[in-house]
Amino acid sequence: MDSSIPINRRHKAVGTLGHDSGHDGSYPPRMRREIVVPPSGMHRTTEAAGRSTLRAPKPAFRTTKTSQKLKILPEEDGGPGTDVDEYLGLTGVYDQVEHMRGAQGLRDEINRLKSLPPGSLPRVTAYATASSYTMTQLFKWIESRKGQNDTAPKLLDECIYTPFVYGPSEAIAINMEEDLIDTDTHAVKFYESYVPIKSEVFLFDYGVAVVWGMTEQHEREFLRELESFEVEKVDEDDIETEELEFYINSKAQSRIYNDVISLRTTKGHMAKLAISHAIAQATKLSLYEGLVDETIEATRYIPQRMAESGTVEMTRKGLIKKIGQLFIMRVNVNLVSNILDTPEIFWSEPTLQPLYMAIREYLEIPQRVEIMNHRVSVISDLLDMLNGHLNGMHG
């Protein structure tokens, strides 16, 4: 990635789009937000209950943040014992509840989870903290923490994976048994147990960290330690996040529902890598979605004034500056398009790609990219119009 081209909202040229308002920061005022680390809590309803009341409301760039949607995760038929096969199973991706053990069984399982106290489920949290990370130095630092944090880093193309343990962690495992009394309805009883897990992190070279199984406090500590390896750091109150949770159910097909991921086992990391790739891309995409929205909002007045007065009420210097800002915006979106391509690791690990694609679809990345590109075309039209006006002024 070309570090000479800024790709986050810390750049002054982007931050000064629109009217001068006395705002003294580099970020557009509307994008200012409070706190970084989200609270624990699995109660995710259409009102987004359980989320922090301290964080200012953010636009929901995907509908699955505010609606309940089920995505059955694909699996790969194959022999037992491999890391991937324990997570994967069917060859297709299905949204229908009927492909579970039954709609009632799924509702019972979800209701069981919702009856647990907030924060009972381990977290999966992604943070877009920088333009990029210095991966070589970061890898060496993680290696040096083996004795302290039980690290074992692996470089997987554009990602560093490692366990990173601050303290004991555990995950809820949902156990199911058929009701032997009511055999006609095939009813299923649920009970939970707890299994030990190691917290894990996936660090992507484009500045996103995906953390599995850490407490909120340990996430904060890890992010502080990560700061030394960030390039073009994002201000804390502008960090984009994705907040999910997970649990274990070895008897049911893996799925994601209402931002809660069900896995069949805690073993291995490759399936989590596939899931993390999609989550990281969605988090980075949110940065650009906000930037595009802010740019359109901040320049909305220009064509309106042209329609009213027949001219752009800007000096030549101001016009050139605005053209430069819009050009940087368009370059930035082109850069994120490369980030959102299918990761190269799926060429060598093709069995992981269906799982990655399923999470990508759940997070609505294809639809969001299409909408963003359409909105960028509006910016491009404005850029062409201003260039034409500038040429007219020069003539």
Side-chain angles (χ1 to χ4, degrees), residues 138-179:
L138 180 55
F139 190 91
K140 291 178 180 178
W141 172 75
I142 293 172
E143 282 186 316
S144 72
R145 300 296 288 266
K146 181 177 181 179
Q148 184 175 346
N149 300 106
D150 200 16
T151 60
K154 296 180 181 180
L155 185 60
L156 304 169
D157 287 334
E158 60 189 327
C159 174
I160 296 175
Y161 159 77
T162 184
F164 206 99
V165 179
Y166 286 107
S169 298
E170 57 186 10
I172 287 180
I174 292 292
N175 303 285
M176 302 188 303
E177 60 181 18
E178 293 199 13
D179 193 331

Side-chain angles (χ1 to χ4, degrees), residues 88-378:
L88 309 178
L90 291 177
T91 56
V93 178
Y94 305 92
D95 290 312
Q96 295 84 356
V97 175
E98 289 76 9
H99 284 276
M100 305 300 300
R101 290 176 63 97
Q104 185 60 49
L106 174 62
R107 284 194 292 268
D108 290 345
E109 182 173 334
I110 295 299
N111 289 335
R112 179 79 179 188
L113 291 172
K114 287 190 174 183
S115 68
L116 300 173
S120 296
L121 296 180
R123 299 155 58 89
V124 184
T125 316
Y127 299 90
T129 68
S131 167
S132 61
Y133 298 132
T134 54
M135 299 294 277
T136 300
Q137 293 90 329
L138 180 55
F139 190 91
K140 291 178 180 178
W141 172 75
I142 293 172
E143 282 186 316
S144 72
R145 300 296 288 266
K146 181 177 181 179
Q148 184 175 346
N149 300 106
D150 200 16
T151 60
K154 296 180 181 180
L155 185 60
L156 304 169
D157 287 334
E158 60 189 327
C159 174
I160 296 175
Y161 159 77
T162 184
F164 206 99
V165 179
Y166 286 107
S169 298
E170 57 186 10
I172 287 180
I174 292 292
N175 303 285
M176 302 188 303
E177 60 181 18
E178 293 199 13
D179 193 331
L180 299 180
I181 298 177
D182 190 4
T183 56
D184 293 335
T185 62
H186 301 285
V188 176
K189 291 184 176 179
F190 297 91
Y191 60 95
E192 67 268 3
S193 59
Y194 292 85
V195 294
I197 60 171
K198 282 187 176 182
S199 52
E200 301 163 285
V201 295
F202 297 84
L203 301 161
F204 295 89
D205 62 1
Y206 48 83
V208 178
V210 181
V211 184
W212 290 72
M214 281 191 192
T215 64
E216 178 181 334
Q217 177 184 353
H218 289 155
E219 285 176 9
R220 284 198 182 99
E221 185 173 347
F222 180 76
L223 292 178
R224 283 194 296 269
E225 298 195 86
L226 188 60
E227 289 179 358
S228 301
F229 309 97
E230 294 172 341
V231 178
E232 291 188 23
K233 175 180 171 58
V234 175
D235 285 350
E236 282 191 344
D237 52 0
D238 286 304
I239 290 177
E240 287 287 349
T241 65
E242 279 287 350
E243 311 160 29
L244 302 96
E245 292 160 315
F246 73 99
Y247 67 100
I248 310 302
N249 187 338
S250 62
K251 303 297 185 181
Q253 189 172 332
S254 298
R255 59 190 177 270
I256 180 170
Y257 176 77
N258 210 19
D259 283 5
V260 180
I261 303 169
S262 167
L263 299 175
R264 300 190 66 170
T265 179
T266 60
K267 298 178 182 178
H269 63 273
M270 292 303 288
K272 288 180 182 176
L273 171 67
I275 295 171
S276 297
H277 264 292
I279 295 173
Q281 288 178 332
T283 310
K284 196 71 172 183
L285 177 58
S286 294
L287 274 173
Y288 290 91
E289 288 171 315
L291 181 56
V292 168
D293 284 356
E294 179 64 26
T295 302
I296 291 176
E297 184 65 27
T299 56
R300 190 184 301 274
Y301 72 96
I302 296 176
Q304 179 65 33
R305 289 189 180 177
M306 289 185 71
E308 294 172 351
S309 65
T311 184
V312 178
E313 299 174 0
M314 291 184 187
T315 64
R316 178 179 173 82
K317 180 179 178 181
L319 185 58
I320 292 173
K321 187 176 180 181
K322 185 66 63 181
I323 290 172
Q325 293 167 359
L326 293 173
F327 180 77
I328 289 173
M329 171 73 256
R330 193 164 64 177
V331 169
N332 288 342
V333 173
N334 289 337
L335 286 175
V336 79
S337 298
N338 296 330
I339 293 172
L340 298 177
D341 286 343
T342 300
E344 292 184 4
I345 192 169
F346 298 125
W347 290 98
S348 57
E349 299 286 348
T351 55
L352 289 174
Q353 187 166 355
L355 177 59
Y356 158 76
M357 294 301 295
I359 300 295
R360 183 182 169 95
E361 290 171 14
Y362 174 85
L363 297 171
E364 299 172 344
I365 291 177
Q367 303 96 305
R368 291 163 62 189
V369 169
E370 183 177 352
I371 292 171
M372 186 177 69
N373 287 337
H374 175 72
R375 294 173 72 80
V376 169
S377 70
V378 175

